[in-house]
Amino acid sequence: DTAVSQTPKYLVTQMGNDKSIKCEQNLGHDTMYWYKQDSKKFLKIMFSYNNKELIINETVPNRFSPKSPDKAHLNLHINSLELGDSAVYFCASSLGRTGQWTQYFGPGTRLTVL
Amino acid sequence: QKEVEQDPGPLSVPEGAIVSLNCTYSNSAFQYFMWYRQYSRKGPELLMYTYSSGNKEDGRFTAQVDKSSKYISLFIRDSQPSDSATYLCAMKSTGTASKLTFGTGTRLQVTL
């Protein structure tokens, strides 16, 4: 059973398009995250939701909009894609929102903007 | 200066060697320290998790935290080719909306 799953695994699209990435976790966790990993492997938090409430919103262009329909799902919609958005996007989840809870990562979505 | 510094490597060692991976950090609020392993084209997987200072051992892996020096280490004993991966240190504080802050990762290659 996959604990944290993401779709699609690969996404290739043209500049200016709008795309979405979906994430689902079956761990019973209540907190979910989106991270971006650039070409140098640096992982940086973008957003976090706890029980459908946005709790972390880093300095990210407002073309990126997360949405959490329930605590097992967190989607990421990106408008007007730019070349610099090319990266691997990871979803993660944890049991709680505070520091002591371990985060588990999904397999990633590799986004390439042409 | 980044909050967490990690030598990107690559680090190449022969099979059976002891590997030492390290990170330094600047934020004294960090209380939880983790090491993640990431294979090529995969998501990070948690290896070790430590709270505050001290050592933790799990099989061939030992994590050390020295909060006074703001320095953490991961030791891998009897390294295997299957240990070849990128190792990411990560840290977080105890805040109510605590986020993980990662190092840039060290790429390790264990050769036969």
Side-chain angles (χ1 to χ4, degrees):
Chain A
D1 277 349
T2 305
V4 182
S5 59
Q6 295 178 228
T7 53
K9 196 167 182 180
Y10 299 95
L11 189 51
V12 181
T13 188
Q14 300 285 335
M15 260 188 355
N17 283 351
D18 303 339
K19 290 293 178 188
S20 291
I21 306 171
K22 296 188 175 187
C23 178
E24 176 181 2
Q25 54 91 7
N26 62 6
L27 296 166
H29 291 170
D30 59 1
T31 306
M32 297 183 73
Y33 311 80
W34 278 113
Y35 286 85
K36 179 180 179 180
Q37 188 172 45
D38 61 25
S39 57
K40 294 184 178 176
K41 292 279 199 178
F42 184 58
L43 259 173
K44 191 163 170 25
I45 182 100
M46 299 173 70
F47 303 102
S48 177
Y49 272 76
N50 172 257
N51 281 320
K52 303 195 294 176
E53 176 195 355
L54 182 66
I55 57 170
I56 294 176
N57 187 357
E58 291 290 286
T59 308
V60 174
N62 58 14
R63 299 181 295 101
F64 290 79
S65 52
K67 191 164 282 186
S68 182
D70 56 61
K71 65 181 188 179
H73 295 85
L74 180 62
N75 303 323
L76 183 66
H77 188 75
I78 315 170
N79 288 326
S80 303
L81 278 154
E82 300 178 358
L83 292 175
D85 298 333
S86 295
V88 182
Y89 292 84
F90 286 100
C91 177
S93 72
S94 64
L95 186 56
R97 62 190 287 173
T98 54
Q100 74 267 32
W101 300 108
T102 304
Q103 294 182 24
Y104 295 88
F105 284 78
T109 296
R110 186 172 294 270
L111 171 65
T112 303
V113 182
L114 303 174
Chain B
Q1 187 190 1
K2 289 188 173 138
E3 274 190 293
V4 180
E5 298 278 359
Q6 185 176 7
D7 187 335
L11 178 62
S12 184
V13 300
E15 184 179 7
I18 296 174
V19 176
S20 172
L21 303 167
N22 312 294
C23 288
T24 59
Y25 63 95
S26 56
N27 188 345
S28 56
F30 289 143
Q31 295 284 342
Y32 300 94
F33 303 91
M34 286 133 278
W35 286 94
Y36 282 84
R37 178 175 61 196
Q38 186 175 21
Y39 290 114
S40 183
R41 295 188 173 257
K42 300 287 186 187
E45 57 175 323
L46 182 68
L47 265 182
M48 301 288 283
Y49 181 96
T50 313
Y51 171 67
S52 196
S53 282
N55 293 359
K56 186 172 184 180
E57 190 173 319
D58 184 0
R60 297 185 294 111
F61 299 91
T62 300
Q64 287 185 352
V65 175
D66 181 350
K67 288 189 67 183
S68 62
S69 303
K70 295 191 178 70
Y71 186 87
I72 71 169
S73 301
L74 177 71
F75 297 96
I76 308 174
R77 289 184 298 282
D78 187 25
S79 55
Q80 304 294 311
S82 59
D83 294 328
S84 299
T86 297
Y87 290 80
L88 300 150
C89 63
M91 328 185 168
K92 53 186 175 174
S93 63
T94 57
T96 56
S98 182
K99 61 182 184 183
L100 274 177
T101 301
F102 281 88
T104 49
T106 300
R107 190 156 62 91
L108 172 67
Q109 182 73 36
V110 180
T111 56
L112 289 167

